Amino acid sequence: MLWFANGAALLLALAIIAIGTGYIASPTTMMRSFGLPLPEDGPNVAWWLRLKGVRDIVAGLLVLAFTMWGAEREVGIVLLIEAMIPAGDTLLILAAKGSTKSAFGIHGLTAVIMVLVAIPMMIGAD
């Protein structure tokens, strides 16, 4: 079971990094799937959206680093803590009356997957 959790943690890390890279390369396009309407147009909107990209890349690199050089328990702890990011995104989108489909289908599902991967890593570690 831990081999599956380790593989899933690696895939989650790479997915988070890919999403962050997408926000840096094409922030407006990426934001369309987030679940909130695009912010008002202005010269700095893309730069504000790129901030999310940088944070996503760092969050993914943290999981990747712990997956490569940490123990399962530590990877599980990092994943459990980082699951608060998509859980928070879900709640914020719902509070803003954004897309329920994106809130639950993207962000909520991501949070659940992260928790489901984290739990066996934390309890199965020696």
Side-chain angles (χ1 to χ4, degrees):
M1 179 66 163
L2 282 179
W3 65 267
F4 180 78
N6 278 312
L10 179 62
L11 287 175
L12 283 167
L14 295 174
I16 295 167
I17 292 167
I19 291 167
T21 302
Y23 269 94
I24 289 175
S26 186
T28 305
T29 302
M30 291 296 292
M31 189 64 190
R32 291 186 209 291
S33 67
F34 189 80
L36 290 173
L38 287 170
E40 290 75 26
D41 198 20
N44 293 317
V45 169
W47 294 108
W48 281 102
L49 296 175
R50 285 184 178 106
L51 290 174
K52 179 187 177 338
V54 171
R55 285 159 177 75
D56 284 351
I57 291 170
V58 172
L61 288 173
L62 181 64
V63 175
L64 185 61
F66 273 86
T67 301
M68 294 290 129
W69 296 290
E72 279 87 11
R73 181 172 289 125
E74 286 80 9
V75 175
I77 291 168
V78 169
L79 282 172
L80 191 62
I81 292 169
E82 285 196 5
M84 290 188 289
I85 296 169
D89 290 346
T90 300
L91 295 174
L92 290 171
I93 291 167
L94 293 173
K97 309 236 186 300
S99 168
T100 304
K101 181 179 174 183
S102 291
F104 290 116
I106 298 171
H107 307 287
L109 182 61
T110 300
V112 168
I113 290 170
M114 291 175 82
V115 169
L116 291 176
V117 170
I119 290 171
M121 295 185 89
M122 292 185 329
I123 62 175
D126 294 321

